[in-house]
Amino acid sequence: VEAPPLGAKNELRLALRQQSFQTADRLAKAITAAEAVVAVAEDAATVRLVVPDALVKEGGVVGLIARLG
């Protein structure tokens, strides 16, 4: 999974190495359940995360990415 820099909308997009609707959906659900973010499977290869402003301001994005790794 690759994670590019945070965009202006506090969004991260995770790119799956192998496309799978099932994996993207499971990953999105697992992230939403475990973290303070909303994760949505956009397609078979991409999961979009909306990171709350508070987490961004705390500098918690790096920790979030590390936990997802």
Side-chain angles (χ1 to χ4, degrees):
V1 177
E2 298 175 15
L6 214 58
K9 296 181 183 180
N10 291 355
E11 293 182 351
L12 284 173
R13 283 189 168 72
L14 304 178
L16 302 178
R17 290 183 186 166
Q18 294 183 347
Q19 295 185 11
S20 167
F21 285 107
Q22 186 175 31
T23 300
D25 184 57
R26 286 181 179 171
L27 180 60
K29 287 177 181 173
I31 291 170
T32 298
E35 298 293 338
V37 300
V38 175
V40 177
E42 290 190 330
D43 54 38
T46 311
V47 175
R48 179 175 47 93
L49 284 70
V50 179
V51 182
D53 287 335
L55 190 60
V56 173
K57 291 177 183 174
E58 293 172 359
V61 176
V62 172
L64 171 65
I65 293 170
R67 288 190 301 278
L68 297 176

